C-alpha cells in the first residue's frame, strides 16, 4: 500500500463554526464518495480553519500495483485514479466504457472538480437481476457510473458527452420513486442531481419560487417558514421537487391544492443532446398562459425519459390561518368510503382525507404508538379561518356519523396533528415492520370518486382471498389508493403472485374509467397497462414525441414506453 495525502480547500463567504463546517464537509464529501472511500480506504484526517478558508486533509491508501500515470493533471487525479482502478477489473468487452470514462474524466477535470464545488465520479459494477423475477419487482440495476454535477452547465456538457458516445443517462433525484425509475436497465451514467440544491429565486408577491433539482420539499418549506407561504404537494417521502415534477407526484394535500401537474409553472430542462429548454420561456412565472403547446405539462410526469430537469418554478400557497385534524373509525370499508364521497359531493372543503384499513391501522398503532381503533379509519384535515373550521368540522362529523362512524376526535394543537400525520406518513415503514426481512410492494390506482367504494370493497375481498398480506391506504379524496403487499424478495413464486395481484388491480381501475397510476408513474412495471389505458394511437403519439426529443433512446431507457 502507498499512502497518499489529498488536500481539499473550501472557501466560505464568512467564517463559520468548525462543527458546522464539518457537517458541510460530511454532506458534500463523505456521502457521495461512499463507494470509493470504502474501496480505497480514504480517511478524513484534519480540518484546519483559517479565516474563511478551511483546509481538509485526507489520506488515501493505494494498492501498490495500481499504476497512477504521472501525466494525469493534478485536478483530475482522483477522478483518473478511480477510472484506472475500477477499470482494472473490467473485461476487454468493456473497452468502450473505458474510453467513455476517460472522456468523462477529462471533461470533469476540466471543470475543476476539486475546488469547493466538487464533482465526483463513482463507478459501480452492474449486476444482473435473477431471470425469473418479474421485471417490475426485480432488484435495482446499478449504473456503470454515478456523477454528481454542480450546475446546469455541467449537466448540459455531461448530457452532450453521453449522447455523442451513445451512453444511457439516468437522472436521479432522491431515489424514493416506487416504480423502479432510477434502475439502470442498460447500465450507463446516473446523473445524481442532489448537489444542485439552491433555491434560486423567491417571488413572494407572485407566489412562486425557483428551485434546483436537489431541493427537497421539506427543505423548501423550511426555507419558506417565515414568509407566510408554503408548498403543499406532499408525497410523504422527502423527495426532490424536480423528482416530484418528473413523476407527476402528489400526496395527502392534493384534494385541495392539486398535484405537481397543477403546481409547476415552468421547467428548465437539459435535453438529451445537451441543449437547454425553458418550457414556458426563460424567467417566466405567470399564473396562466395560452401560448402554444404545453411543454411544461409534457415534462411533468416524463420520468426522466425526455430530459433532465435542472430547475423548477413552482406555485406557492398562503399558509392556512388555522388547521385542524380529525380521525374517525368506521364499521366497514364501505361506510368509510361512502362518507368520503358524500363529503366531496356536499363540497365540504377538506384539505386532506386519507383512508387506512384495519390492517394498516393496526400497523400504525404498533409502529407509531397510536391508540386508535383497529378499524377502517379516515384521517381528515381542514384549513381556513377559525370560524370556518368549526363549521367544516361539524358538517364532516354529521356525514360520518350518518354512516355509523365512532370516535370522531379532533386534533387542534400542532403537536397532536403532527403525531397523527407523522404516523400516516410512516405507514409504509409501519407496514414493513409487520414482517422484518420482507419487502413491500405498493400498487397505485385512481378511479372516479363515484367508483371508489366499489373498487375498494372489491380489493379488500380479493386481498383476503389471495392469502397475501396486504393493507390499503389511500388519498381517497382524489379517488386514489394504494394496496401495500408484503413479499419475500427471494420467493419468485410469491413475487409473481404479488405482481399478478397488482396488474389485476390496475385492470380493474381501467375498467372503472380510472388510471393504472394516480401518482407513482409507469416506471418499469406498468408499460402494458399504459398501453391499455391510452390505446394504440395514444401510445404511438407518446412514442413519436419521445423519438423526436430522444432519437437514440438514451434517456432513462426501458421506462414508461
Ligand atoms: C414512504 C414513501 C411514500 C411515498 N408516498 C408517495 C405519495 O403519497 N405520493 C407520490 O406521488 N409518491 C409517493 N412516493 C413516491 C416518491 O416519493 C415520488 O415518486 C417522488 O416524486 C420521487 O422523487 P425523487 O426525487 O425521489 O425521484 P427519484 O426516485 O430519484 O426518481 C424518480 C423518477 O424521476 C426521474 N427523475 C428524478 N429527478 C429527475 C430530474 N431532475 N429530471 C428528470 N428526471 C428526474 C428518475 O429518472 C426516475 O425515473 C412515496 C415514496 C415512499 C418511499
Amino acid at each position: 500500500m502507498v499512502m497518499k495525502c489529498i488536500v481539499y480547500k473550501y472557501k466560505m463567504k464568512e467564517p463559520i463554526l468548525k462543527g458546522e463546517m464539518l457537517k458541510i464537509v460530511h454532506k458534500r464529501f463523505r456521502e457521495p464518495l461512499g463507494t470509493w472511500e470504502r474501496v480505497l480506504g480514504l480517511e478524513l484526517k484534519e480540518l484546519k480553519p483559517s479565516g474563511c478558508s478551511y483546509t481538509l486533509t485526507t489520506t488515501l491508501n493505494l494498492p501498490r500495483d495500481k499504476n497512477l500515470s504521472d501525466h494525469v493533471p493534478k485536478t483530475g487525479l482522483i477522478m483518473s485514479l478511480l477510472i484506472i482502478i475500477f477499470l482494472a477489473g473490467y473485461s476487454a468487452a468493456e473497452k468502450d466504457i473505458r474510453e467513455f470514462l476517460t472522456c468523462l474524466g477529462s471533461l470533469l477535470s476540466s471543470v475543476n472538480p476539486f475546488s469547493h464545488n466538487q464533482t465526483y465520479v463513482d463507478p459501480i459494477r452492474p449486476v444482473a437481476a435473477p431471470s425469473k423475477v418479474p421485471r417490475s419487482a426485480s432488484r435495482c440495476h446499478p449504473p456503470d457510473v454515478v456523477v454528481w454535477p454542480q450546475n446546469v452547465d455541467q449537466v448540459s456538457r455531461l448530457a452532450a458527452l453521453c449522447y455523442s458516445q451513445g451512453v444511457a443517462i439516468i437522472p436521479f433525484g432522491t431515489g424514493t420513486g416506487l416504480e423502479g425509475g432510477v434502475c439502470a436497465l442498460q447500465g450507463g451514467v446516473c446523473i445524481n442531481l442532489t448537489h444542485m440544491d439552491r433555491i434560486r429565486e423567491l417571488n413572494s408577491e407572485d407566489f412562486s419560487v425557483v428551485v434546483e433539482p436537489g431541493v427537497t420539499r421539506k427543505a423548501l418549506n423550511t426555507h419558506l417558514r417565515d414568509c407566510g407561504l408554503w408548498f403543499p404537494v406532499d408525497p410523504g417521502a422527502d423527495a426532490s421537487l424536480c423528482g416530484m415534477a418528473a413523476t407527476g407526484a402528489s400526496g395527502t394535500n392534493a384534494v385541495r391544492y392539486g398535484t405537481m401537474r397543477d403546481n409547476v409553472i415552468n421547467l428548465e430542462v437539459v435535453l438529451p443532446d445537451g441543449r437547454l429548454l425553458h418550457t414556458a420561456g426563460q424567467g417566466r412565472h405567470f399564473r396562466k398562459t395560452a401560448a402554444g403547446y404545453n411543454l411544461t405539462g409534457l415534462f411533468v410526469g416524463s420520468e426522466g425519459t425526455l430530459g433532465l430537469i435542472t430547475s423548477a418554478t413552482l406555485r406557492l400557497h398562503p399558509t392556512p390561518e388555522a388547521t385542524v385534524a380529525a380521525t374517525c373509525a368506521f364499521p366497514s370499508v364501505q361506510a368509510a368510503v361512502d362518507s368520503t364521497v358524500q363529503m366531496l359531493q356536499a363540497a365540504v372543503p377538506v384539505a386532506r382525507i386519507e383512508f387506512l384499513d384495519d390492517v394498516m391501522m393496526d400497523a400504525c398503532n404498533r409502529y407509531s404508538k397510536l391508540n386508535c381503533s383497529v378499524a377502517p379509519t379516515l384521517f381528515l384535515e381542514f384549513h381556513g379561518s377559525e370560524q370556518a373550521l368549526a363549521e367544516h368540522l361539524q358538517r364532516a362529523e354529521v356525514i360520518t356519523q350518518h354512516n355509523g362512524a365512532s370516535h370522531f376526535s379532533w386534533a387542534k394543537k400542532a403537536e397532536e396533528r403532527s403525531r397523527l400525520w407523522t404516523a400516516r406518513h410512516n405507514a409504509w415503514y409501519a407496514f414493513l415492520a409487520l414482517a422484518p426481512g420482507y419487502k413491500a410492494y405498493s400498487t397505485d390506482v385512481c378511479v372516479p370518486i363515484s367508483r371508489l367504494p366499489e373498487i375498494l370493497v372489491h380489493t379488500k375481498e380479493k386481498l383476503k382471498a389471495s392469502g397475501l398480506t396486504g393493507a390499503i391506504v389511500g388519498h381517497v379524496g382524489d379517488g386514489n389508493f394504494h394496496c401495500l403487499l408484503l413479499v419475500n424478495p427471494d420467493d419468485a413464486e410469491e413475487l409473481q403472485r404479488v405482481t399478478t395481484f397488482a396488474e389485476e388491480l390496475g385492470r380493474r381501475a381501467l375498467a372503472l374509467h380510472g388510471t393504472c397510476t394516480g401518482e407513482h408513474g409507469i416506471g418499469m412495471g406498468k408499460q402494458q397497462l399504459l398501453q391499455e389505458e391510452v390505446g394504440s394511437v395514444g401510445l404511438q403519439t407518446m412514442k413519436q414525441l419521445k423519438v423526436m426529443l430522444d432519437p437514440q433512446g438514451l434517456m432513462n431507457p426501458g421506462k414508461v414506453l
Side-chain angles (χ1 to χ4, degrees), residues 508-522:
R508 213 169 304 134
L510 295 184
L512 297 176
H513 307 290
T515 167
C516 66
T517 169
E519 52 184 28
H520 295 165
I522 296 295

Side-chain angles (χ1 to χ4, degrees), residues 170-178 180-182 193 213 234-252 302-305 307-310 424-425 428-429 475 480 482 518-520 555-556 559:
I170 303 100
F172 185 98
T174 51
T176 67
L178 295 173
V182 294
L193 296 151
D234 164 22
D238 191 19
S240 75
L241 291 153
C242 290
M244 286 165 59
T247 57
S250 50
T252 57
S302 59
E303 300 183 43
T305 61
L308 295 125
I309 301 172
T310 48
R424 163 61 189 91
H425 282 142
W428 170 265
Y429 305 103
H475 316 301
N480 180 204
H482 313 296
E519 52 184 28
H520 295 165
M555 279 305 307
N556 209 359
K559 315 296 164 54

